[in-house]
Amino acid sequence: MAEREIPFRDRAIETASRAEIERVQLAGLKRQIAQALKTDFYRGRLASAGISSPDDIRTLADIRKLPFTTKGDLREAYPFGLLAVPKEEVVRVHASSGTTGTPTVIYLTQRDLDVASDTMARSLAAAGGTRHDVVQNMMTYGLFTGGLCFHYGAELLGAMVIPTSSGNTLRQLKFMKDFGTTMIHATPSYLLHLHAAIEEEGYRREDLKLRMAITGAEPHSEELRQKIQDKLGIEVYNCYGMSELNGPGVAFECVFRKGMHVWEDRYIFELLNPETFEPVPEGETGELVVTILCRDAMPLIRYRTRDLTRFIPEPCPCGRTHRRIARFTGRTDDMLIINGVNVFPSQIEEVLLKAKGVGANYFIIVEKEGVLDKLTVQVEITPETFADDARVINALRDRLKSEMSALITINPIVEIKQPGSLPVSEGKAKRVDDRRPKD
Ligand code: DLL
């Protein structure tokens, strides 16, 4: 590694002194407050916190006075409560799962998109990506940010981007071979699936020019990264992001691959104790709370990501001064990530509560089938429905399945259960059994 040249997209800002980063952060925070005060959503909240002008923010420590924002708040503000610019200036909308049927949306102006793409391009450059790369993006295109937001960043880097989107593994392999793909972007579980297909289809390593993969969108361990690296014979880089924060590239590994740098000129990152909301001591685990510093259309202040991580206190040998975070160790809510798709048990419950003939009890099982995740929803039906014709029961199962897939965008297996057959929990109902191995 010592011999390797360390790549930068913008060396000045990536290696800026702490004082310079903090100067940029303070200016960015004031700017975001000015934007937030233009929205119906934040105006009242900021007033209650004693903030009626950007000048009420004097130092970075004043961020502690600001209110938090949650996924639930975004649902309340749906669709346009957080809009800080005239609607005509919005050029793109993305969305992710909400805790119920209302999705969490973000909107971006052209400038917002340019900044988000530049952050993504900076991340790719930090990992050694260049304009000579052929990048195959195997993340879903559409509302999910892993498709388009990554795509625009890779294009800005100057790479040749192939938007194959997710699935269709045989075509992925054909394109990888025929176009000499050097970098792929996929979830860790899909990378394993791809490896199995490479073997099955009899591709030889020398048929492929693949040298690296960017992976993220779901938790994975260091052991899993090693396994993928060994199997595919490539370097695998961890990438963190979320729709609400403009998608992938919020935190990214440099060529040393020892934790992800967070881009502190574009966001303020706090790690807080999720019960007291006090900052955790350096090096200890807390909930990541993020304030966006450069988004005009939709400001976001102290957004509770629910993701748990810690700062890595030691400086990185790459010379970047932007801090690093460790792999995520969990979440402070019950969100499941199934093949990279976020699913809340409350979304499943919402479908069941609306359906006729369904009883009071249900159970969600998530397990591995090969390298992919499988979701099963066991549903108790009412005694009347149970006594009905098999055709009625089958129709109910099909309807539940299609309503759930419409809401959560993945296909669950729905198992109909006899009334009283599912375990009744005492106290707080335990409705989810995540049987996936922890790595
Ligand atoms: O997953 C954005 C993304 C796309 C990130 C492609 C990386 C690569 P959401 O669908 O909104 O956005 O899901 C965000 O996924 O709060 C984490 O819980 C989880 N997550 C994302 N990246 C990682 C990662 C995209 N590298 C939620 N490790 C986040 C662990 C991750 N969890």
Side-chain angles (χ1 to χ4, degrees), residues 14 221 251:
E14 292 176 52
S221 63

Side-chain angles (χ1 to χ4, degrees), residues 110-362:
Q110 186 56 55
R111 179 183 173 276
D112 295 340
L113 260 189
D114 293 345
V115 175
S117 305
D118 181 67
T119 312
M120 189 66 237
R122 191 199 281 180
S123 297
L124 291 171
T130 72
R131 56 189 294 275
H132 301 290
D133 276 300
V134 177
V135 179
Q136 200 165 316
N137 188 8
M138 304 181 182
M139 293 269 190
T140 310
Y141 280 66
L143 288 172
F144 180 52
T145 49
L148 283 168
C149 293
F150 178 92
H151 180 109
Y152 275 60
E155 275 188 358
L156 190 63
L157 185 73
M160 174 173 142
V161 190
I162 313 178
T164 41
S165 194
S166 52
N168 202 340
T169 307
L170 293 186
R171 191 179 61 184
Q172 301 281 10
L173 289 176
K174 179 173 167 53
F175 274 57
M176 281 170 71
K177 180 165 181 261
D178 296 347
F179 288 96
T181 298
T182 56
M183 183 198 293
I184 51 180
H185 181 218
T187 59
S189 29
Y190 194 70
L191 289 176
L192 282 175
H193 180 67
L194 194 71
H195 172 259
I198 288 175
E199 299 223 306
E200 245 167 61
E201 296 302 312
Y203 282 84
R204 291 165 309 163
R205 187 60 188 88
E206 54 274 29
D207 293 335
L208 305 174
K209 295 218 170 63
L210 195 62
R211 65 179 190 95
M212 65 192 286
I214 310 298
T215 198
E218 63 188 19
H220 57 289
S221 63
E222 189 54 40
E223 291 68 35
L224 186 65
R225 182 231 296 265
Q226 284 299 337
K227 189 168 159 184
I228 299 170
Q229 294 197 143
D230 294 347
K231 278 177 181 289
L232 286 170
I234 58 171
E235 292 180 348
V236 175
Y237 289 83
N238 193 6
C239 161
Y240 169 76
M242 68 194 310
S243 312
E244 295 90 313
L245 305 176
N246 298 345
V250 174
F252 212 88
E253 284 183 322
C254 65
V255 291
F256 287 91
R257 280 172 289 155
K258 290 263 162 30
M260 295 182 280
H261 289 277
V262 287
W263 298 121
E264 295 188 82
D265 58 323
R266 303 252 155 105
Y267 305 91
I268 295 177
F269 298 89
E270 298 174 84
L271 278 183
L272 305 182
N273 176 319
E275 269 142 38
T276 61
F277 299 111
E278 289 299 317
V280 295
E282 186 79 7
E284 283 185 22
T285 298
E287 180 182 326
L288 188 66
V289 172
V290 185
T291 300
I292 293 198
L293 296 179
C294 28
R295 194 162 69 193
D296 289 343
M298 181 179 167
L300 209 52
I301 293 170
R302 302 191 92 192
Y303 189 64
R304 291 192 57 192
T305 66
R306 306 281 181 171
D307 291 315
L308 291 167
T309 184
R310 63 182 175 82
F311 283 122
I312 300 174
E314 300 79 37
C316 183
C318 75
R320 282 182 185 79
T321 44
H322 298 239
R323 285 180 294 177
R324 283 173 298 160
I325 50 171
R327 273 179 199 283
F328 290 90
T329 50
R331 288 183 53 91
T332 62
D333 64 6
D334 57 357
M335 184 178 94
L336 298 160
I337 304 185
I338 301 174
N339 293 323
V341 177
N342 303 346
V343 176
F344 288 94
S346 49
Q347 295 175 296
I348 292 174
E349 183 170 283
E350 189 177 83
V351 170
L352 296 175
L353 286 179
K354 278 193 208 139
K356 262 214 183 108
V358 167
N361 226 345
Y362 67 90

Side-chain angles (χ1 to χ4, degrees), residues 361-365 376-378 422 430-433 435:
N361 226 345
Y362 67 90
F363 201 67
I364 296 168
I365 301 167
T376 305
V377 183
Q378 300 179 324
L422 290 177
K430 182 180 180 306
R431 300 212 183 273
V432 180
D433 186 6
R435 298 178 184 165

